[in-house]
Each structure stands twice: as structure tokens, then as C-alpha cells.
Amino acid sequence: SLGISAESGRVHDKRQAKFRQINRFLEMVADVENNIAGSEELYILDLCCGKSYLSFAVYYYFTVIRGRKVVMDCVDLKQDVIAYCSKIATELNYSGLHFTAGDIRDFPIRRTPDLTVSLHACDIATDIVLAKGIDSGSKVILSTPCCHHEMMHQLKPNGNATDLLMEHSILKQKFADAATDALRCKVLQINGYEVNALELIDPEETPKNVLIRAVKRKQTAPEKLGQYQEEYRKLCELLDVHPYLQADYT
């Protein structure tokens, strides 16, 4: 129904990479399952869900393979895509899988999410996803960033040791990608999450292969909180950048 495979079940050649991405993401979901094991009914968000390959895969994993009861909200701006995915969910009788067209910032959360996922939300859309996950108190956040334009546009030579990273466009882009995600991880730590940046899939498949995994922990100790905030401030000051996702945005 989603165009990944033929009726025989064979994955289309042009969809092989996407199929591997989704399966690898599901492995990441399985790795954090113990952190959401206590919920009788799982509440899951897929923000900036796009064509929703991940949405259907995650819903299938928990309901069919794991036998869990699930309510899952999937949100994206594209009304035509959302209408199509909603139609498929109805045809499959996935009664707990809901699709909404709109801005994820305005989407009303039902309750504290057990899991928030996002696959390749572009540029600051990833920041908006992370902010929504943090604000809602999501127990686990799994997000793969994409297209780090914001910092790329802000980075300028400013007379310090980082200037040599800006002499070549491709190196500047890679540096901007890494710095953006490092700051995102730091914001999550500031807000009480244990954070890891992981490789989603082989870089030969896609250069957009970083997954940010954040698991909600107890409140951050004051001394640690101060340390994280200072680390965030110092990197922003060194690079002279002002990311969308601020350390004190809350």
C-alpha cells in the first residue's frame, strides 16, 4: 500500500535503502522498549511523519509483533499525504493509528508520550520535534536530523581556531551538521534526558545517518545542569551562532 514492496512482498529496487533505514530504526525502537514497558497502552508520536513509512512500521511492530495496545498520532503539514496515509490506516483496520495535517507546534498532545519518533525532519523541523518531545515530557525521543541549513548560514569566520573549518564548503557543512546535533544533544541533557548520538545506517546508504536517542531520566542535578548550560553557551559563543533550539527555551 505504501509503495515499498510488490504484492509478492518483494521490496522494490528503488526502495531498498528506505526499507533498510526503517528496519534499522525499528531495531533502535526495540533497544529502548524497556524504558516504556510500564504503560498499559502506549502513546506514540510521529512528528513530521511525511509518507509515514516509519509510522506504519512502528505501529505494526508494537501491535502485531509485541501485542501491545497503541494509540499513535502522526502529524505533518502535507494534507494530501496525510489524507492518503489515513485512508491506508482505515483499510488496514489500524484503529489506533491517527493522522493529522497541521503544524506540530500546535498539535494537542493527549498525554505524556511513551515514545516520540521522527525520521529526517528537515533543518529546524528537527528542533521543533525535539522541543515538542521535551515539552510533552516524552519518555523516549528517537530523531534522525536532516538538512542542517540553519547553522550553515550562520557560520562566519570570526578570527578563532574554527575558521580553518570554513575554508571549504563541504567541510563547513559537515562541521555545521556535527555542531548542530551536538547542541541539540546538550539541550536534551539540560532537560533531563540521557542522550546518545548513534549511527542509524551505513553512510553509503545516506549521509543523513545520525540518530539522536534520548531517554528521560530523573531531574538533572544542579551542578550537572550548570555544567551542561555552560557547555552549550560556550560552543554557541565560540561559533557565534544562535540555534533555533535554545538551552533555555523552556
Side-chain angles (χ1 to χ4, degrees), residues 186-222:
K186 195 57 59 178
V187 172
L188 286 160
Q189 286 181 309
I190 288 168
N191 284 275
Y193 286 85
E194 180 181 313
V195 186
N196 297 97
L198 307 167
E199 185 175 81
L200 176 66
I201 201 165
D202 193 307
E204 292 185 3
E205 297 280 358
T206 173
K208 306 161 188 174
N209 69 329
V210 172
L211 180 138
I212 296 174
R213 180 180 69 194
V215 178
K216 188 72 172 175
R217 298 304 189 196
K218 294 180 180 179
Q219 188 172 4
T220 306

Short mmCIF file of all heavy atoms in Angstrom, two decimals, residues 186-222:
data_model
loop_
_atom_site.label_atom_id
_atom_site.label_comp_id
_atom_site.label_asym_id
_atom_site.label_seq_id
_atom_site.Cartn_x
_atom_site.Cartn_y
_atom_site.Cartn_z
N LYS A 186 22.89 18.50 23.79
CA LYS A 186 23.12 19.21 25.05
C LYS A 186 21.82 19.78 25.61
O LYS A 186 21.58 19.74 26.82
CB LYS A 186 24.14 20.32 24.83
CG LYS A 186 24.74 20.90 26.12
CD LYS A 186 25.40 19.83 26.98
CE LYS A 186 26.52 19.10 26.30
NZ LYS A 186 27.15 18.09 27.20
N VAL A 187 20.95 20.28 24.74
CA VAL A 187 19.64 20.78 25.20
C VAL A 187 18.83 19.66 25.82
O VAL A 187 18.17 19.83 26.85
CB VAL A 187 18.86 21.44 24.04
CG1 VAL A 187 17.43 21.77 24.47
CG2 VAL A 187 19.56 22.71 23.57
N LEU A 188 18.87 18.48 25.21
CA LEU A 188 18.16 17.33 25.77
C LEU A 188 18.73 16.95 27.14
O LEU A 188 17.97 16.65 28.07
CB LEU A 188 18.25 16.14 24.81
CG LEU A 188 17.38 16.25 23.55
CD1 LEU A 188 17.89 15.32 22.45
CD2 LEU A 188 15.92 15.95 23.87
N GLN A 189 20.05 16.99 27.29
CA GLN A 189 20.66 16.70 28.59
C GLN A 189 20.22 17.72 29.63
O GLN A 189 19.92 17.37 30.78
CB GLN A 189 22.19 16.71 28.45
CG GLN A 189 22.76 15.50 27.75
CD GLN A 189 24.27 15.56 27.68
OE1 GLN A 189 24.85 16.56 27.25
NE2 GLN A 189 24.93 14.50 28.10
N ILE A 190 20.18 18.98 29.25
CA ILE A 190 19.75 20.05 30.16
C ILE A 190 18.34 19.79 30.66
O ILE A 190 18.00 20.10 31.81
CB ILE A 190 19.85 21.41 29.46
CG1 ILE A 190 21.33 21.81 29.28
CG2 ILE A 190 19.09 22.50 30.23
CD1 ILE A 190 21.54 22.99 28.35
N ASN A 191 17.53 19.17 29.80
CA ASN A 191 16.13 18.93 30.15
C ASN A 191 15.88 17.53 30.70
O ASN A 191 14.75 17.04 30.68
CB ASN A 191 15.24 19.20 28.93
CG ASN A 191 15.06 20.67 28.68
OD1 ASN A 191 14.19 21.31 29.27
ND2 ASN A 191 15.90 21.25 27.83
N GLY A 192 16.94 16.88 31.21
CA GLY A 192 16.75 15.65 31.97
C GLY A 192 16.79 14.36 31.18
O GLY A 192 16.29 13.33 31.65
N TYR A 193 17.39 14.39 29.99
CA TYR A 193 17.47 13.18 29.18
C TYR A 193 18.89 12.62 29.16
O TYR A 193 19.87 13.38 29.17
CB TYR A 193 17.04 13.47 27.74
CG TYR A 193 15.55 13.65 27.57
CD1 TYR A 193 14.94 14.89 27.79
CD2 TYR A 193 14.72 12.58 27.23
CE1 TYR A 193 13.58 15.06 27.65
CE2 TYR A 193 13.36 12.73 27.08
CZ TYR A 193 12.79 13.98 27.30
OH TYR A 193 11.43 14.13 27.17
N GLU A 194 18.98 11.30 29.15
CA GLU A 194 20.23 10.62 28.86
C GLU A 194 20.31 10.48 27.35
O GLU A 194 19.41 9.92 26.72
CB GLU A 194 20.25 9.24 29.53
CG GLU A 194 21.52 8.45 29.30
CD GLU A 194 21.47 7.08 29.96
OE1 GLU A 194 21.08 7.00 31.14
OE2 GLU A 194 21.80 6.10 29.28
N VAL A 195 21.38 10.97 26.76
CA VAL A 195 21.42 11.16 25.31
C VAL A 195 22.59 10.42 24.67
O VAL A 195 23.71 10.42 25.20
CB VAL A 195 21.51 12.66 24.96
CG1 VAL A 195 21.39 12.86 23.44
CG2 VAL A 195 20.43 13.45 25.67
N ASN A 196 22.32 9.82 23.51
CA ASN A 196 23.37 9.22 22.69
C ASN A 196 23.14 9.61 21.23
O ASN A 196 22.00 9.62 20.76
CB ASN A 196 23.36 7.69 22.79
CG ASN A 196 23.65 7.20 24.19
OD1 ASN A 196 22.73 6.89 24.94
ND2 ASN A 196 24.92 7.13 24.55
N ALA A 197 24.21 9.94 20.53
CA ALA A 197 24.15 10.14 19.09
C ALA A 197 24.71 8.88 18.45
O ALA A 197 25.85 8.49 18.70
CB ALA A 197 24.95 11.36 18.68
N LEU A 198 23.89 8.22 17.63
CA LEU A 198 24.23 6.90 17.08
C LEU A 198 24.19 6.92 15.56
O LEU A 198 23.55 7.79 14.95
CB LEU A 198 23.24 5.85 17.60
CG LEU A 198 23.06 5.80 19.13
CD1 LEU A 198 21.84 4.96 19.47
CD2 LEU A 198 24.31 5.24 19.79
N GLU A 199 24.88 5.96 14.95
CA GLU A 199 24.79 5.80 13.50
C GLU A 199 23.56 4.98 13.16
O GLU A 199 23.42 3.84 13.61
CB GLU A 199 26.05 5.10 12.99
CG GLU A 199 26.11 5.00 11.47
CD GLU A 199 27.41 4.41 10.97
OE1 GLU A 199 27.55 3.16 11.00
OE2 GLU A 199 28.29 5.19 10.58
N LEU A 200 22.67 5.56 12.38
CA LEU A 200 21.44 4.85 12.02
C LEU A 200 21.72 3.73 11.02
O LEU A 200 21.24 2.61 11.18
CB LEU A 200 20.41 5.82 11.44
CG LEU A 200 19.12 5.19 10.92
CD1 LEU A 200 18.32 4.59 12.07
CD2 LEU A 200 18.28 6.21 10.16
N ILE A 201 22.49 4.05 10.02
CA ILE A 201 22.71 3.10 8.93
C ILE A 201 24.04 3.43 8.26
O ILE A 201 24.62 4.49 8.50
CB ILE A 201 21.53 3.16 7.92
CG1 ILE A 201 21.43 1.89 7.07
CG2 ILE A 201 21.60 4.41 7.06
CD1 ILE A 201 20.12 1.75 6.34
N ASP A 202 24.54 2.54 7.44
CA ASP A 202 25.82 2.74 6.77
C ASP A 202 25.80 4.07 6.00
O ASP A 202 24.84 4.35 5.26
CB ASP A 202 26.05 1.59 5.78
CG ASP A 202 27.49 1.54 5.27
OD1 ASP A 202 27.97 2.58 4.78
OD2 ASP A 202 28.11 0.47 5.35
N PRO A 203 26.85 4.87 6.14
CA PRO A 203 26.90 6.16 5.42
C PRO A 203 26.79 6.02 3.91
O PRO A 203 26.42 6.98 3.23
CB PRO A 203 28.28 6.72 5.81
CG PRO A 203 28.61 6.06 7.11
CD PRO A 203 28.01 4.69 7.02
N GLU A 204 27.10 4.85 3.36
CA GLU A 204 26.95 4.63 1.92
C GLU A 204 25.49 4.67 1.50
O GLU A 204 25.17 4.94 0.34
CB GLU A 204 27.59 3.30 1.52
CG GLU A 204 29.11 3.28 1.65
CD GLU A 204 29.72 1.99 1.13
OE1 GLU A 204 28.96 1.14 0.62
OE2 GLU A 204 30.95 1.84 1.24
N GLU A 205 24.59 4.38 2.45
CA GLU A 205 23.16 4.41 2.15
C GLU A 205 22.65 5.85 2.06
O GLU A 205 21.90 6.20 1.16
CB GLU A 205 22.37 3.67 3.25
CG GLU A 205 22.70 2.19 3.36
CD GLU A 205 21.98 1.36 2.31
OE1 GLU A 205 21.20 1.92 1.52
OE2 GLU A 205 22.22 0.13 2.26
N THR A 206 23.05 6.66 3.03
CA THR A 206 22.65 8.06 3.08
C THR A 206 23.59 8.81 4.00
O THR A 206 24.01 8.27 5.03
CB THR A 206 21.20 8.22 3.58
OG1 THR A 206 20.91 9.62 3.77
CG2 THR A 206 20.98 7.50 4.90
N PRO A 207 23.95 10.06 3.67
CA PRO A 207 24.78 10.85 4.58
C PRO A 207 24.00 11.29 5.82
O PRO A 207 24.60 11.72 6.80
CB PRO A 207 25.20 12.05 3.72
CG PRO A 207 24.11 12.16 2.69
CD PRO A 207 23.67 10.76 2.40
N LYS A 208 22.69 11.18 5.77
CA LYS A 208 21.84 11.59 6.88
C LYS A 208 21.62 10.40 7.80
O LYS A 208 20.53 9.85 7.90
CB LYS A 208 20.51 12.13 6.35
CG LYS A 208 20.68 13.25 5.32
CD LYS A 208 19.44 13.44 4.49
CE LYS A 208 19.68 14.40 3.33
NZ LYS A 208 18.52 14.49 2.43
N ASN A 209 22.69 9.98 8.46
CA ASN A 209 22.65 8.69 9.14
C ASN A 209 22.85 8.78 10.65
O ASN A 209 23.19 7.80 11.29
CB ASN A 209 23.70 7.76 8.53
CG ASN A 209 25.13 8.20 8.85
OD1 ASN A 209 25.39 9.38 8.99
ND2 ASN A 209 26.03 7.25 8.97
N VAL A 210 22.66 9.97 11.22
CA VAL A 210 22.78 10.14 12.68
C VAL A 210 21.40 10.01 13.33
O VAL A 210 20.42 10.60 12.84
CB VAL A 210 23.39 11.51 13.03
CG1 VAL A 210 23.33 11.76 14.55
CG2 VAL A 210 24.83 11.60 12.56
N LEU A 211 21.32 9.24 14.39
CA LEU A 211 20.09 9.15 15.17
C LEU A 211 20.37 9.66 16.58
O LEU A 211 21.33 9.23 17.22
CB LEU A 211 19.56 7.72 15.23
CG LEU A 211 18.26 7.55 16.03
CD1 LEU A 211 17.29 6.61 15.31
CD2 LEU A 211 18.53 7.01 17.43
N ILE A 212 19.54 10.58 17.04
CA ILE A 212 19.63 11.08 18.41
C ILE A 212 18.65 10.30 19.27
O ILE A 212 17.45 10.29 19.01
CB ILE A 212 19.31 12.59 18.48
CG1 ILE A 212 20.35 13.39 17.69
CG2 ILE A 212 19.26 13.07 19.93
CD1 ILE A 212 20.05 14.87 17.57
N ARG A 213 19.19 9.60 20.27
CA ARG A 213 18.37 8.82 21.19
C ARG A 213 18.38 9.48 22.55
O ARG A 213 19.44 9.69 23.14
CB ARG A 213 18.90 7.39 21.29
CG ARG A 213 18.08 6.50 22.25
CD ARG A 213 18.65 5.09 22.31
NE ARG A 213 19.95 5.04 22.98
CZ ARG A 213 20.78 4.00 22.93
NH1 ARG A 213 20.45 2.94 22.21
NH2 ARG A 213 21.92 4.03 23.57
N ALA A 214 17.20 9.82 23.04
CA ALA A 214 17.10 10.50 24.33
C ALA A 214 16.09 9.76 25.21
O ALA A 214 14.95 9.54 24.81
CB ALA A 214 16.65 11.95 24.14
N VAL A 215 16.54 9.37 26.40
CA VAL A 215 15.70 8.65 27.36
C VAL A 215 15.54 9.51 28.60
O VAL A 215 16.53 9.94 29.20
CB VAL A 215 16.33 7.28 27.73
CG1 VAL A 215 15.47 6.57 28.77
CG2 VAL A 215 16.50 6.42 26.49
N LYS A 216 14.30 9.77 28.99
CA LYS A 216 14.03 10.65 30.13
C LYS A 216 14.49 10.00 31.43
O LYS A 216 14.18 8.84 31.71
CB LYS A 216 12.52 10.93 30.21
CG LYS A 216 12.12 11.97 31.25
CD LYS A 216 12.51 13.36 30.82
CE LYS A 216 11.94 14.41 31.76
NZ LYS A 216 12.41 15.76 31.41
N ARG A 217 15.24 10.76 32.21
CA ARG A 217 15.72 10.30 33.50
C ARG A 217 15.18 11.21 34.59
O ARG A 217 14.37 12.10 34.34
CB ARG A 217 17.25 10.29 33.52
CG ARG A 217 17.89 9.35 32.50
CD ARG A 217 17.39 7.92 32.65
NE ARG A 217 18.14 6.99 31.82
CZ ARG A 217 17.75 5.77 31.51
NH1 ARG A 217 16.59 5.30 31.95
NH2 ARG A 217 18.49 4.98 30.75
N LYS A 218 15.67 11.00 35.80
CA LYS A 218 15.26 11.86 36.90
C LYS A 218 15.81 13.26 36.68
O LYS A 218 16.67 13.49 35.83
CB LYS A 218 15.77 11.30 38.24
CG LYS A 218 15.15 9.96 38.62
CD LYS A 218 15.70 9.46 39.94
CE LYS A 218 15.07 8.12 40.31
NZ LYS A 218 15.61 7.58 41.59
N GLN A 219 15.33 14.20 37.45
CA GLN A 219 15.76 15.59 37.29
C GLN A 219 17.28 15.72 37.37
O GLN A 219 17.94 15.08 38.19
CB GLN A 219 15.11 16.46 38.38
CG GLN A 219 15.33 17.95 38.18
CD GLN A 219 14.51 18.76 39.17
OE1 GLN A 219 13.85 18.23 40.04
NE2 GLN A 219 14.56 20.07 39.03
N THR A 220 17.83 16.54 36.50
CA THR A 220 19.27 16.73 36.44
C THR A 220 19.77 17.41 37.72
O THR A 220 19.18 18.38 38.19
CB THR A 220 19.64 17.60 35.23
OG1 THR A 220 19.08 17.02 34.05
CG2 THR A 220 21.15 17.72 35.08
N ALA A 221 20.87 16.90 38.27
CA ALA A 221 21.48 17.51 39.46
C ALA A 221 21.90 18.94 39.13
O ALA A 221 22.37 19.21 38.02
CB ALA A 221 22.68 16.69 39.91
N PRO A 222 21.74 19.87 40.09
CA PRO A 222 22.04 21.29 39.83
C PRO A 222 23.44 21.52 39.28
O PRO A 222 23.63 22.33 38.36
CB PRO A 222 21.87 21.93 41.21
CG PRO A 222 20.89 21.06 41.92
CD PRO A 222 21.18 19.67 41.44
#
